[in-house]
Amino acid sequence: MRIFDPHIHMTSRTTDDYKAMHAAGVRALVEPAFWLGQPRTSPASFTDYFDSLLGWEPYRAAQFGIRHHCTIGLNPKEANDPRCTPVLDELPRYLAKDGVVAVGEIGYDTVTDAEDHAFAAQLALAVEFGLPALVHTPHRDKAGGTQRSLDVIRESGIDPAYVVLDHLNEVTVDEVAGTGSWMGFSIYPDTKMTPERMVAILQRHGTERMLVNSAADWGHSDPLLTRATAEAMLAAGFDEDDVDRVLWRNPVAFYGQSGRLDLDGYNDTQAAGLFAGNSIARGGS
């Protein structure tokens, strides 16, 4: 089994997590720029973070046989802070870098005018640089925020095939299905989606344009829940090709639109034997 986690915040994880992820079949990932928990006070704190996503984290991942890519953007939560918004002027020089495979996370937190401005400006940058866009749907008023996100995406003129709306669930997936955009789902221990709920959505909507991620941020999360979802799919009657489509070929197809995915050196035989019967490896902290 080969796994490409399309949204995971490895900045908040340990090297033990990298080791356990490789043992579970993870061979590639995308780390989106996000809110670090502590409010940032200047654009310089963003650029230091972006530099880490492009330098330090790929190095850490490579030590454990995992390809690391990132997305760059002003996240919606900090788009409301005027101390942070000047970073929008810094984004073009980062979006030109090879390791950046999308603009993100962008979108909405509480659906404010400031978030509207940052969202539209960054979609315009995605169009300018020919990059996909990773859109964060809000945790509050998720249905309304998802619909507003779709409206802004249409207004921007970006090809919907270049957009993934993430953190979807049973309430919002129907809004996105059929729009031409990709559908992203974060699997968590207590919140968002569980592997079983994800399987039910796949049974109803199929495997096309579906991206499953672990997100794995600073809170209670688990970087191995992509593997758990794969095992739940097999237990529910999906075959190995279905699992490979959702957990590998779909994220490769979506982020591959950037022209910047670097998967050279990945050896399919490394993943051989990881299918049926193997339990998920757990790492320490």
Side-chain angles (χ1 to χ4, degrees):
M1 182 185 302
R2 54 184 184 173
I3 296 173
F4 187 137
D5 194 324
H7 181 153
I8 182 168
H9 298 293
M10 293 308 297
T11 296
S12 63
R13 311 306 303 192
T14 68
T15 51
D16 283 353
D17 290 317
Y18 273 122
K19 182 178 180 180
M21 288 162 62
H22 186 274
V26 177
R27 296 294 182 270
L29 61 85
V30 169
E31 178 165 2
F34 80 137
W35 180 57
L36 290 178
Q38 174 68 27
R40 282 176 276 217
T41 59
S42 74
S45 57
F46 278 88
T47 57
D48 288 342
Y49 169 55
F50 295 160
D51 288 340
S52 177
L53 292 182
L54 284 159
W56 175 239
E57 282 305 325
Y59 172 78
R60 279 215 307 160
Q63 306 312 297
F64 298 91
I66 296 174
R67 296 285 184 175
H68 181 288
H69 311 82
C70 69
T71 78
I72 295 292
L74 171 62
N75 67 83
K77 187 178 184 70
E78 289 177 295
N80 293 295
D81 190 335
R83 297 174 300 177
C84 298
T85 51
V87 79
L88 291 170
D89 296 329
E90 301 292 330
L91 295 183
R93 69 185 177 96
Y94 283 97
L95 297 180
K97 295 182 181 292
D98 287 342
V100 178
V101 295
V103 179
E105 298 181 56
I106 61 177
Y108 288 117
D109 180 48
T110 55
V111 194
T112 64
D113 289 343
E115 291 170 26
D116 267 330
H117 171 74
F119 190 10
Q122 293 180 97
L123 285 173
L125 286 172
V127 173
E128 178 183 347
F129 283 86
L131 290 173
L134 171 61
V135 175
H136 171 99
T137 57
H139 302 303
R140 295 172 293 278
D141 188 19
K142 186 169 282 291
T146 299
Q147 186 56 60
R148 177 58 186 150
S149 298
L150 289 169
D151 291 342
V152 174
I153 290 163
R154 280 190 291 268
E155 293 163 6
S156 76
I158 192 171
D159 183 344
Y162 271 62
V163 177
V164 57
L165 287 99
D166 214 343
H167 309 313
L168 298 180
N169 58 23
E170 297 89 341
V171 174
T172 54
V173 62
D174 290 337
E175 294 183 61
V176 181
T179 65
S181 292
W182 292 69
M183 294 158 279
F185 302 85
S186 298
I187 315 300
Y188 268 61
D190 300 323
T191 60
K192 299 183 176 71
M193 297 291 297
T194 64
E196 293 73 25
R197 288 167 59 198
M198 187 68 238
V199 167
I201 286 176
L202 292 169
Q203 288 171 327
R204 189 167 76 251
H205 289 278
T207 59
E208 295 292 329
R209 296 185 182 267
M210 293 288 192
L211 299 178
V212 173
N213 67 74
S214 65
D217 56 21
W218 300 101
H220 186 200
S221 52
D222 185 342
L224 304 183
L225 285 180
T226 48
R227 174 65 189 236
T229 301
E231 293 184 344
M233 288 178 66
L234 293 171
F238 287 95
D239 62 24
E240 293 183 7
D241 186 70
D242 295 323
V243 171
D244 191 67
R245 175 182 296 279
V246 173
L247 274 299
W248 183 267
R249 300 198 312 267
N250 280 356
V252 168
F254 178 70
Y255 288 114
Q257 296 176 114
S258 70
R260 298 176 179 173
L261 276 187
D262 178 12
L263 299 175
D264 289 345
Y266 172 78
N267 184 353
D268 286 327
T269 62
Q270 289 179 305
L274 286 176
F275 259 116
N278 286 13
S279 61
I280 301 175
R282 298 277 167 180
S285 60

